[in-house]
Amino acid sequence: MSIDKKGLLIIDYTNDFVDENGSLTLGKPAQQCEDKILSLANQYLKNGDYVFLPTDIHNQEDNLHPEHGLFPIHNQKKTWGRDFFGELKNWYQENKDNKLVIMIDKTRYSSFAGTNLDILLRERNIKELCLTGVATDICLLHTAIDAYNLNYQLEFYEDAMSGFSKENEIFAKNHFKTTLNAKIN
Ligand code: ZN
């Protein structure tokens, strides 16, 4: 394998984080990312590139988890809250058997923490990652820092990510650009 491939990461784009009725929702600004995320996903598949969906999975009973007591319970296994938001749910159903589409269960902010994401990326010769989804200032930020430390090149789209507050979002984007050498489209 010699041709470098690209990886799109769609992070935590689930009902609990995005839908009006989600338990930890970011609301409208997150909902408005739906079209851009879907168009990027289709574009990646068309080009023969990969789409990863690192998605939180939590268990209310797990009081050893660092998020326990810090956030309302979210993304519990086999609940509506953990389903992908809006059209992404249908998109995933239609494309989940495609070898270019890989969903990953994660239990921490970073998509790399405790997952085999780095191994999957290395196997596929992927050096460039585009991070989308939510939240810009938590899971995207922690994933971006880990990716940077593992020598991945980073790219973002303004209209394909959303954060918990304007201030945090400004900080995170600035950090992506000036500290993690990311390209922001
Ligand atoms: Zn979580």
Side-chain angles (χ1 to χ4, degrees), residues 34-182:
E34 186 182 355
D35 288 351
K36 184 65 184 182
I37 289 174
L38 283 162
S39 84
L40 284 167
N42 288 325
Q43 189 191 313
Y44 268 65
L45 292 191
K46 207 174 127 202
N47 293 341
D49 288 316
Y50 288 85
V51 179
F52 296 87
L53 300 105
T55 307
D56 253 9
I57 186 158
H58 291 301
N59 169 5
Q60 186 150 32
E61 315 303 314
D62 182 6
N63 59 7
L64 300 176
H65 193 282
E67 282 175 45
H68 185 83
L70 186 62
F71 290 108
I73 184 73
H74 54 278
N75 275 35
Q76 291 196 87
K77 199 177 181 176
K78 291 186 178 157
T79 61
W80 167 86
R82 195 171 186 256
D83 285 346
F84 293 121
F85 173 78
E87 272 306 302
L88 185 63
K89 185 179 178 177
N90 298 328
W91 183 92
Y92 181 70
Q93 283 309 317
E94 281 161 25
N95 293 288
K96 66 178 182 196
D97 296 328
N98 187 329
K99 280 188 177 152
L100 300 173
V101 176
I102 302 172
M103 185 176 173
I104 292 175
D105 290 348
K106 70 177 180 73
T107 65
R108 296 294 190 270
Y109 303 142
S110 171
S111 304
F112 290 94
T115 71
N116 63 348
L117 178 59
D118 184 46
I119 285 174
L120 294 172
L121 295 169
R122 285 164 185 269
E123 283 173 345
R124 288 158 182 77
N125 229 25
I126 297 169
K127 314 244 163 69
E128 265 178 68
L129 298 178
C130 176
L131 272 53
T132 67
V134 297
T136 310
D137 50 326
I138 303 183
C139 287
L140 269 68
L141 178 65
H142 285 251
T143 300
I145 292 168
D146 279 348
Y148 174 85
N149 286 327
L150 293 165
N151 272 47
Y152 292 99
Q153 277 293 320
L154 292 165
E155 183 181 29
F156 296 84
Y157 286 83
E158 295 261 13
D159 48 354
M161 61 180 162
S162 184
F164 274 101
S165 71
K166 270 276 152 277
E167 298 93 311
N168 287 1
E169 190 145 16
I170 290 166
F171 166 79
K173 285 180 195 168
N174 203 38
H175 190 79
F176 296 155
K177 200 153 58 178
T178 60
T179 311
L180 306 182
N181 198 21

Side-chain angles (χ1 to χ4, degrees), residues 14-28 30-31 164:
T14 62
N15 288 326
D16 269 344
F17 283 107
V18 182
D19 189 273
E20 228 35 72
N21 298 310
S23 64
L24 195 51
T25 189
L26 284 84
K28 261 255 141 10
Q31 292 157 23
F164 274 101

